[in-house]
C-alpha cells in the first residue's frame, strides 16, 4: 500500500511540474500578445506599420508560417512557442464559435416566443372585438339600454375601425408592401 502511494505521489509531482511549465509558457505567450496589443496602431486598419520591429517575434513567425513563407534565417523560434500560440488562438476561436451558436439558439427561442405571444395577443384582441360586437347587438334591442364602461369604450373604436372598409384596405395594403420589402429594407424600416 505504501509503495502504491509513493508511486502516485511521484506521478502527481511530475504532473504538477509539467503543468507549472505549461503555465509559465502560457503566461509568456500572453505577455507577448499583450505587448502587441499595447503597440500604437496606425490611423486606419490595414495601413502599413512604419516599424515592424515592434511586432513580437512569435507573431511574425506564426504569420509567416500561416502564409507559407519561410522565416528569415536570423530568427529562430522553438516549435513549441509557435504551436502554443496557434493553439491559444484556435481554442479561443472555438470558444467564441460555441458561444455564438449558444446565443443564436437563444435568439431563435426568443423570436419564437415573441411570435407566439404576438399571435396570442392578436387572437385575444379579435375575441374582445367579437365580444363587443355581441354586446352592441344585445344593446340594440329596445329597452336594453345600459351604461357604457371603459372596456366598452376602448373596444368600440376598434370595432368601428374594423367595419370601415377604407381603413381595412389601407391596413392590408401596408402589410402587403411591408412583406414585399427585402430583409435589409425591413431592418432599416424597423430602426
Amino acid at each position: 500500500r505504501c509503495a502504491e502511494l509513493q508511486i502516485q505521489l511521484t506521478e502527481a509531482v511530475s504532473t504538477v511540474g509539467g503543468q507549472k511549465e505549461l503555465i509559465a509558457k502560457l503566461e509568456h505567450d500572453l505577455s507577448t500578445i499583450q505587448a502587441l496589443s499595447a503597440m500604437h496602431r496606425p490611423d486606419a486598419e490595414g495601413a502599413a506599420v512604419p516599424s515592424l520591429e515592434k511586432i513580437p517575434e512569435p507573431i511574425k513567425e506564426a504569420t509567416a508560417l500561416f502564409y507559407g513563407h519561410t522565416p528569415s534565417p536570423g530568427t529562430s523560434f522553438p516549435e513549441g512557442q509557435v504551436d502554443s500560440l496557434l493553439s491559444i488562438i484556435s481554442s479561443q476561436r472555438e470558444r467564441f464559435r460555441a458561444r455564438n451558436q449558444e446565443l443564436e439558439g437563444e435568439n431563435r427561442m426568443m423570436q419564437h416566443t415573441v411570435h407566439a405571444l404576438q399571435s396570442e395577443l392578436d387572437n385575444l384582441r379579435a375575441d374582445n372585438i367579437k365580444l363587443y360586437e355581441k354586446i352592441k347587438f344585445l344593446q340594440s334591442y329596445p329597452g336594453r339600454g345600459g351604461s357604457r364602461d371603459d372596456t366598452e369604450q376602448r373596444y368600440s373604436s376598434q370595432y368601428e375601425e374594423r367595419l370601415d372598409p377604407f381603413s381595412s384596405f389601407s391596413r392590408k395594403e401596408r402589410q402587403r408592401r411591408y412583406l414585399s420589402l427585402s430583409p435589409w429594407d425591413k431592418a432599416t424600416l424597423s430602426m
Side-chain angles (χ1 to χ4, degrees):
R1 175 88 176 131
C2 183
E4 290 177 18
L5 291 175
Q6 194 68 18
I7 292 172
Q8 288 178 354
L9 178 64
T10 307
E11 290 175 356
V13 168
S14 66
T15 303
V16 168
Q19 288 179 348
K20 283 184 180 179
E21 289 176 15
L22 289 174
I23 289 170
K25 190 176 189 181
L26 179 62
E27 288 174 348
H28 174 71
D29 291 343
L30 288 175
S31 66
T32 304
I33 291 173
Q34 287 174 348
L36 176 65
S37 66
M39 193 174 69
H40 174 69
R41 292 183 150 218
D43 291 336
E45 289 292 324
V49 178
S51 58
L52 290 177
E53 61 271 358
K54 290 183 180 179
I55 297 177
E57 294 301 324
I59 303 295
K60 288 181 185 177
E61 176 71 17
T63 305
L65 288 175
F66 181 74
Y67 286 112
H69 303 300
T70 56
S72 60
T75 59
S76 63
F77 299 103
E79 185 66 30
Q81 190 176 17
V82 173
D83 289 341
S84 68
L85 181 63
L86 290 175
S87 67
I88 290 170
I89 293 171
S90 64
S91 65
Q92 184 180 23
R93 182 193 70 210
E94 293 303 319
R95 284 193 307 272
F96 284 145
R97 182 179 291 154
R99 180 67 177 144
N100 187 26
Q101 289 174 349
E102 179 183 318
L103 290 174
E104 285 176 352
E106 288 177 11
N107 187 18
R108 280 191 292 274
M109 291 297 292
M110 290 294 182
Q111 285 179 350
H112 178 69
T113 304
V114 165
H115 288 302
L117 290 174
Q118 185 64 41
S119 65
E120 184 178 347
L121 177 70
D122 292 341
N123 290 338
L124 289 174
R125 193 172 284 144
D127 289 345
N128 286 338
I129 292 173
K130 286 178 185 177
L131 288 173
Y132 176 77
E133 182 179 4
K134 289 179 182 178
I135 291 171
K136 185 121 172 126
F137 175 75
L138 290 174
Q139 286 178 349
S140 68
Y141 282 116
R144 289 280 188 172
S147 64
R148 295 177 56 138
D149 61 353
D150 292 341
T151 307
E152 289 181 38
Q153 291 175 358
R154 184 173 46 208
Y155 290 109
S156 67
S157 63
Q158 292 180 9
Y159 172 72
E160 297 297 331
E161 183 180 311
R162 195 178 78 174
L163 293 178
D164 182 20
F166 296 112
S167 66
S168 174
F169 174 76
S170 175
R171 192 175 348 137
K172 287 179 184 176
E173 192 63 22
R174 264 189 263 125
Q175 182 68 20
R176 185 188 65 78
R177 292 280 295 161
Y178 179 77
L179 292 175
S180 68
L181 292 174
S182 70
W184 300 110
D185 292 337
K186 288 179 185 178
T188 304
L189 181 63
S190 67
M191 291 162 121

